[in-house]
Amino acid sequence: MEEHGAGLLLRDALLMLGFAMVAVLAFRKAGLGATLGYLVAGALLGPSVLGLVSGAEEMAEIAELGIVMLLFVVGLELSPARLWRLKGAIFGLGLSQVVICGLAVSATVLALAGYPLAAALAIGLPLGLSSTAQVLPMLQSGGQLRTPFGERAFSILLFQDLSIIPLITIVAALGQGGDEGPSGWWLGVLTLAAVFGLVAAGRLVIRPLFRLIGHLGERELFVVAALFTVLASAVVMTSLGLSAALGAFVAGVMLADTPYRHELEADIEPFRAILLGMFFVAVGMMLDLGVIAENPLFVIGFAVLLIALKTAIIMGLGLLLKMTWRAALALGLLLSQGGEFAFVLYTQALAGGLLNAEQSSLFGAIVTLSMAATPFLMLATSRIRREPRGEDDEGRHEGPRDEGAHAIVVGYGRFGQSVAQVLQSGKLAVTLIDKKQSQIELSEQFGSKVYYGDGTRVDMLRQAGAGEAQLIMFCIRDIDKELIESVKEAFPKAAIYVRGYDRRTVIAMADTPVEYVVREMFESAVRMGLMALEYVGLSERDIDEAEAKYRSHDRERMSVQMEAGDIYAAQEMTREQQRQLRGEN
C-alpha cells in the first residue's frame, strides 16, 4: 500500500514537472512568460481537462513554500541604504498605487457583482497588485531596472511585495467570524511581538551561526542553514496563527545587511523557483474551467476593465510626479495586470469563508487572463516610450551612482583591494565578494562591506548583480578557461578582467572572451628595476631605453608562448635575448 502511494506520488510529480517543462518552454519561446506556462500546465493536468493529477489543494499547501521563499528573497533585497534612497517612490508612489487601485477595483466588484463588502475587498485588494514574477524579469532583460522609469516600476512592485503581509492579515481578519480566532488588536500585538522575537533571534543566533559556517567553508551547511532559517521563521509564525510569509520576510530583512546576503540568495533560488512554479501549477489545477465557460463575457470583460482601470490610475499618479504622458501611460500599462499573489490571497479568502470555490476560480481566471496580456502590453509600452526619441529622460541610465553593481570584484585580497579602491575612487558602485570569512571580518574592521560567497559560481554572480554589471573583475589566483567562457555566456554585457598570477595564466586566457589579463607582479617588478637603475646613476634616456628593450623582449616572448599555448615555446628566444643583454652577440 505504501509502495503504491509512493509510486503514485512519483507519477504525479513526473507529470507535473513534465507538463510544466513543456508549457514553460513553449510560452517562453512565444515570449509570454513562465508564470502563464505553469498555470496552463496545471489547467491541463487538473480535473477540468485531462484529470491526470488530483489533490491540487494539498499540493498547493506544500508548494506555498515557494511564496515563503520568495518573501525571504524580497527581504534580503531590502538593505537600509536601498530603502532610504528609494523611500519616496516606495512609500509614496507604491503606497498610493496599492491603496487607490485596490479600493477602486473593490468598488467596481461591489458595484458590478453585488458581493458583500468583505468579499469585494477580498477580491479587489489582491487585484490591485501586479505581477512581480513577470514584470521584473522583463525589465532586467531590457536593461531598464536602473533607469528612472525602471526604478519607479520597481518601487511600486517592491511596495506591493511588502503589502502582501498586511493584505494577508486583512483577508484573514475579514474571514474571522464571530468569536473564532484572536481579535484584530490581539492579532496586531501578536504580530509585533513575533517580529521583534525573530529580529532578536536573528541577531543572537542566526548571524553567529552563519559566521561559524563561513569559517568552516562548507557550502552544503550554508544551504541547510538557509533552509532552516526560512522554515524555522515560518513555523514560528504559523504556530502563533500568523502568516508564514511574514516570518520569512522578517528573516530576510534581518540578514539583508550581512555579508551572507548574496550567498543566501543563490542557495535559496533553486528551491524558490521550483516550488513557486509548482504553486502556479497547483493553482492552474484548481481553476474550474466549467465556471469560466459559463461566464466567458464576464471573465473577458472584467479582465479588460481591470487593465483599463489600473492603467488610468497609475498613469494619473505618474503625471502627478511630473512624468511625461508617454512614460506615465507606459508605466500604467506595464503594471496593469493582476499578480501571482492574488492566488495566495484568494486561497486565504477561500479558507476563511469569504469566497466560495466558484468565485475563487472565476476571479483567478481573470487574473490569469490579465497576466496573459502582459507580453503584449510590454510591446505597447516599448513603442509608446520609443516615439518620439528624446522627448524625456525616463529611459536613460543615471550612471555609476545608481543602485546596483556596476563592477563586481571577486577576491578581496591584496590585489582585489587595490582594484576595488581604484574603482570606488572613480565613483563606481562596486560589489565585493570573497569566500574567506577571516578576510571578510578583517575588511569590516576597516569599513569595507565584503559579501561571503564563491564568486566563481555563475548563480552567485547573478545574485550579486552580474546581469546589470559593466565589469566583472576576477582578482583570485585560480581561474580557468571554462569559467571565463561560462561567465561571458551568462553575462554577455559585462567586460571581464582577470588577475594573471603568472605567465601561465596569461597563456591560458589567450582564446577566451576576457577583456584584459593583468599580470600581478609585472608592473611592480619593472618599477623596482627602474628605480634601481636611477639609483646607480643612469640617465633618464638610458633608463627609458632599458625599459623599452625589456618590454619589447617580453612582448615577443609572450606572443610566441600564447600562439603555441606553451610557456616553454620561447626557450631559445629567451636564451638569445639574454645573450644580447650580456653583449655576447
Side-chain angles (χ1 to χ4, degrees), residues 274-353:
I274 188 64
L275 287 170
L276 191 59
M278 290 302 99
F279 173 78
F280 290 133
V281 170
V283 168
M285 291 169 60
M286 289 186 290
L287 283 176
D288 189 343
L289 298 181
V291 172
I292 299 169
E294 293 173 3
N295 304 276
L297 294 179
F298 181 83
V299 172
I300 296 172
F302 203 96
V304 172
L305 180 60
L306 174 68
I307 291 171
L309 183 61
K310 290 178 69 176
T311 298
I313 292 172
I314 297 172
M315 181 181 178
L317 292 173
L319 292 174
L320 288 175
L321 292 177
K322 309 298 185 187
M323 295 176 69
T324 65
W325 73 266
R326 288 182 181 277
L329 176 58
L331 185 66
L333 288 172
L334 180 68
L335 301 172
S336 61
Q337 75 288 113
E340 55 274 1
F341 281 115
F343 299 115
V344 181
L345 293 166
Y346 288 161
T347 302
Q348 183 86 29
L350 188 62

Side-chain angles (χ1 to χ4, degrees), residues 357-381:
E358 179 179 337
Q359 292 166 337
S360 178
S361 291
L362 193 64
F363 284 93
I366 290 169
V367 173
T368 304
L369 190 59
S370 70
M371 292 172 72
T374 300
F376 307 106
L377 296 173
M378 284 290 290
L379 290 175
T381 297

